[in-house]
Amino acid sequence: MKITSDKTQALRRLQEKARAGGGQDRMKARAKAGRLSARERIEHLLDEDTFEEIDLLRKTRATDFGLDEKEIPADGVVTGFGRIRGRNVAVYSQDFTVLGGSLGLSHAQKICKIMDLADETGVPVIGLSDSGGARIQEGVDALGGYAEIFWRNVQSSGRIPQISAILGPCAGGAVYSPAMTDFVFMVRDESYMFITGPEVVKAATGEVCDFDSLGGSDVHASKSGVAHFVANSEQQCFRMIRELLDYLPQNWRDQPRVKSSSDDCNRESETLDRISRRTARHAFDTHEVIREIGDGQNFLEVHRDWARNILCGFIRLNGRAVGVVANNSKVLSGALDIHASEKAARFVRFCDAFNIPLLTLVDVPGYWPGMDQEHRGIIRRGAKLLYAYCEATVPKVTVILRKAYGGAYDVMNSKHVRGDFNFAWPSAEIAVMGPEGAVNILFAKEIKKAKDPTARRTELVDEYSKKFANPFLAAQRGYIDEVIEAGKTRPKLIRAFEFLRTKKVTGPKKKHGNIPL
Ligand code: HXC
């Protein structure tokens, strides 16, 4: 018979108490509402039986407002490490049943400890947030605790992937740390993010709003761009995080894992040929192009519902992860506006930081014009994408599918911003602007004077199109390395990225650049 010592039994009692969270009633109410507990979440996220908890017995030292008389199990956060698809990860999960998951000093120190371990061992850190923000009773200790987390978010930025899942109503500091991580997941009808809740908003501004309209998942996925992914359930959210991690390396010195692929590297595509044949005046859905190129038609799209005029996400080419940025002419004709620039710039910088090669698919008529965009800073904010591409040193390959006009031609990983291989389909049009616009400016007087102005304009547009709206002038100058048949895009790209695998370029020495923020 196995004999358990008194001390072991006492330890088990302590552990049990700490694992009880905010108590049976709260736990039951939560389960009844179909919500998982902080520990169940970790179990669902990680590979079975791999979680090792640390700091279970940690307690707050705060005494004000009766905190010393309260049970605050594990100080409201579960921290530890485990595995996802066999890879080490660090994780923390806030427990809303314990003082609303609010963050006091010990709670913050537990998170900081796990962040430090993640950074030192070079593994991704995943935070499951469910918190009312700074624990009001702990005052400046709570604020300081948050700042310690923010500081670590920044120190680890670009060193290890940082992923946040928002799994409840999160306010204040509970949303600022996720905002500084690489990817934010939300769950529809369950997650909310705001600086201050509806009550405070009403008191401060008189605005009446609810959780959903203020900071629900749809708001952050389609309007603010704070959320990169939205899931329909917590379980789906955990599956999505696991899928995303598959494309990422463990840290900045590591490479993403290679997956074996049964998709033929030399596969040609009838669909791409068809798309390129009918593109002269027709917008098309770039999702189709991306899927045709990638292994097994898979595309993990990031920020799917925000700034849909540009698409960002991950595919694999011959098993290797590639980040894709692609204009989408189905929305705003694929023009670059403020949000598209910011969305793509952040994605480019993420891929560059973590050794993920970049594929850019171009179909862009230019920057989106107008008072609204100018006044909201299209010059400053549009420059972010240009900056990001200029700065990126990972292998960078471009395919111009159709339009590449004006400054947007330069921005979208042109040869001039150090694209390694720049391809174009025969349907590509590379020019300062489209034929109609160019003719209207260059020949305004001539058209006015013509006997039949409409006929003359058509004639001039045709002439301009023949001369400039093609990829051949750029190819003659070496700005396009090769004009490729659309159907052969996948094999061409696989060979190009294969060749670039040993590319080694480091940027010029400096403390850090100054991206236009
Ligand atoms: C202490 C808190 C708390 C907090 C919630 N609770 N937030 N306790 N500090 N910040 C407690 C509640 O008192 C309650 O305890 C329990 O958690 C559940 O909260 P409810 O309000 O009943 O839940 P719900 O209706 O779902 O509303 C959730 C909420 C709301 C929207 C998050 O609690 C809220 O607005 N909290 C305050 C948000 C906030 O302003 N935080 C400070 C931000 S400043 P009992 O015992 O009754 O169950 C900040 C600064 C950081 O974070 C620095 C940023 C740069």
Side-chain angles (χ1 to χ4, degrees):
M1 199 177 80
K2 201 172 158 192
I3 298 170
T4 314
S5 74
D6 288 351
K7 286 198 173 169
T8 305
Q9 282 182 9
L11 168 68
R12 286 183 184 170
R13 277 195 299 276
L14 270 177
Q15 288 171 328
E16 208 175 306
K17 213 166 149 193
R19 287 198 192 102
Q24 271 194 354
D25 290 351
R26 281 196 169 96
M27 287 297 197
K28 271 192 191 151
R30 215 178 154 76
K32 209 171 157 196
R35 310 286 297 279
L36 297 172
S37 72
R39 281 190 175 74
E40 285 167 341
R41 285 170 172 167
I42 291 179
E43 277 163 30
H44 278 80
L45 173 68
L46 300 184
D47 295 347
E48 206 178 331
D49 233 2
T50 62
F51 181 56
E52 295 292 335
E53 184 167 352
I54 59 171
D55 271 347
L56 170 66
L57 303 181
R58 191 130 177 189
K59 286 197 161 185
T60 182
R61 293 189 202 168
T63 53
D64 288 333
F65 297 100
L67 280 187
D68 49 347
E69 284 153 29
K70 274 196 171 152
E71 271 304 325
I72 312 176
D75 210 43
V77 63
V78 183
T79 58
F81 59 92
R83 288 179 164 251
I84 289 186
R85 294 185 178 163
R87 296 163 49 163
N88 285 335
V89 295
V91 61
Y92 69 84
S93 176
Q94 293 177 309
D95 186 346
F96 196 80
T97 65
V98 178
L99 294 182
S102 60
L103 180 138
L105 183 58
S106 291
H107 181 126
Q109 286 169 339
K110 285 181 69 171
I111 294 175
C112 289
K113 188 190 272 187
I114 207 70
M115 290 174 82
D116 289 343
L117 279 168
D119 190 85
E120 285 160 13
T121 51
V123 305
V125 63
I126 303 164
L128 309 180
S129 301
D130 195 353
S131 165
R135 188 174 295 157
I136 297 161
Q137 300 91 320
E138 293 203 31
V140 70
D141 276 339
L143 297 180
Y146 261 127
E148 290 285 341
I149 293 173
F150 302 152
W151 185 83
R152 282 168 176 78
N153 285 132
V154 175
Q155 304 312 302
S156 291
S157 180
R159 284 170 58 80
I160 51 171
Q162 300 182 72
I163 294 171
S164 306
I166 308 298
L167 301 172
C170 289
V175 297
Y176 264 118
S177 171
M180 285 200 288
T181 62
D182 298 303
F183 295 102
V184 176
F185 288 74
M186 291 183 79
V187 177
R188 191 160 281 121
D189 301 328
E190 251 188 49
S191 332
Y192 304 93
M193 297 176 80
F194 28 71
I195 299 297
T196 50
E199 293 301 327
V200 180
V201 170
K202 192 174 169 199
T205 70
E207 276 175 306
V208 177
C209 54
D210 57 16
F211 277 17
D212 263 312
S213 56
L214 184 62
S217 60
D218 289 337
V219 165
H220 288 307
S222 63
K223 285 195 169 132
S224 71
V226 169
H228 299 79
F229 297 97
V230 176
N232 290 319
S233 67
E234 291 191 20
Q235 278 86 349
Q236 191 194 16
C237 174
F238 301 139
R239 281 196 297 277
M240 287 163 75
I241 293 175
R242 293 164 66 90
E243 190 189 349
L244 171 66
L245 269 180
D246 256 0
Y247 289 94
L248 315 185
Q250 287 292 84
N251 57 63
W252 71 291
R253 292 185 198 275
D254 191 25
Q255 298 289 329
R257 273 191 192 173
V258 185
K259 275 207 153 180
S260 68
S261 161
S262 54
D263 200 346
D264 183 2
C265 295
N266 293 313
R267 174 170 59 76
E268 297 188 11
S269 166
E270 253 301 303
T271 310
L272 294 183
D273 270 331
R274 181 177 45 79
I275 290 173
S276 90
R277 276 198 302 274
R278 68 174 167 78
T279 54
R281 281 180 182 277
H282 296 105
F284 58 92
D285 187 351
T286 324
H287 287 95
E288 209 182 342
V289 177
I290 299 170
R291 288 189 190 283
E292 272 300 303
I293 292 172
D295 290 358
Q297 303 253 337
N298 290 319
F299 175 43
L300 178 65
E301 192 170 353
V302 175
H303 266 145
R304 195 192 64 188
D305 298 319
W306 185 53
R308 292 184 304 115
N309 40 332
I310 205 156
L311 310 180
C312 297
F314 301 102
I315 60 168
R316 289 184 184 280
L317 285 175
N318 196 21
R320 292 182 185 277
V322 172
V324 183
V325 177
N327 310 112
N328 178 24
S329 54
K330 283 277 185 196
V331 178
L332 289 184
S333 309
L336 293 174
D337 64 353
I338 286 165
H339 288 156
S341 302
E342 288 181 339
K343 166 176 162 177
R346 186 144 174 83
F347 185 74
V348 166
R349 296 191 98 216
F350 175 81
C351 290
D352 188 47
F354 289 103
N355 310 318
I356 302 173
L358 279 164
L359 167 63
T360 304
L361 302 176
V362 185
D363 181 13
V364 64
Y367 274 95
W368 190 252
M371 294 261 284
D372 174 63
Q373 288 284 306
E374 293 287 355
H375 291 186
R376 287 162 66 203
I378 184 78
I379 299 171
R380 175 176 57 81
R381 294 161 77 178
K384 291 176 201 223
L385 183 55
L386 182 53
Y387 190 105
Y389 268 123
C390 290
E391 181 189 45
T393 56
V394 282
K396 299 189 287 185
V397 179
T398 298
V399 186
I400 300 180
L401 312 179
R402 194 173 63 140
K403 297 175 185 173
Y405 293 163
Y409 155 78
D410 278 344
V411 172
M412 295 297 294
N413 195 38
S414 64
K415 197 58 152 182
H416 323 281
V417 301
R418 303 299 185 268
D420 296 299
F421 287 118
N422 292 68
F423 300 126
W425 285 358
S427 48
E429 302 177 6
I430 304 169
V432 172
M433 61 178 72
E436 272 87 5
V439 163
N440 285 343
I441 291 172
L442 289 178
F443 304 107
K445 286 188 193 123
E446 185 179 330
I447 291 170
K448 217 172 173 186
K449 274 194 235 145
K451 257 193 196 153
D452 181 346
T454 313
R456 183 63 190 138
R457 178 183 286 114
T458 310
E459 220 171 73
L460 286 164
V461 165
D462 276 354
E463 219 171 278
Y464 180 96
S465 301
K466 277 198 195 102
K467 190 147 191 211
F468 291 110
N470 62 62
F472 302 108
L473 285 176
Q476 281 167 21
R477 287 159 173 75
Y479 303 152
I480 292 296
D481 297 296
E482 196 183 345
V483 181
I484 61 172
E485 289 175 34
K488 295 185 175 156
T489 305
R490 172 177 159 84
K492 281 279 172 199
L493 289 175
I494 288 177
R495 284 173 209 178
F497 280 118
E498 203 64 38
F499 179 77
L500 291 168
R501 259 174 56 203
T502 48
K503 178 184 175 190
K504 276 213 164 37
V505 173
T506 41
K509 262 194 145 184
K510 56 179 133 179
K511 187 172 177 197
H512 61 71
N514 189 14
I515 188 167
L517 292 172

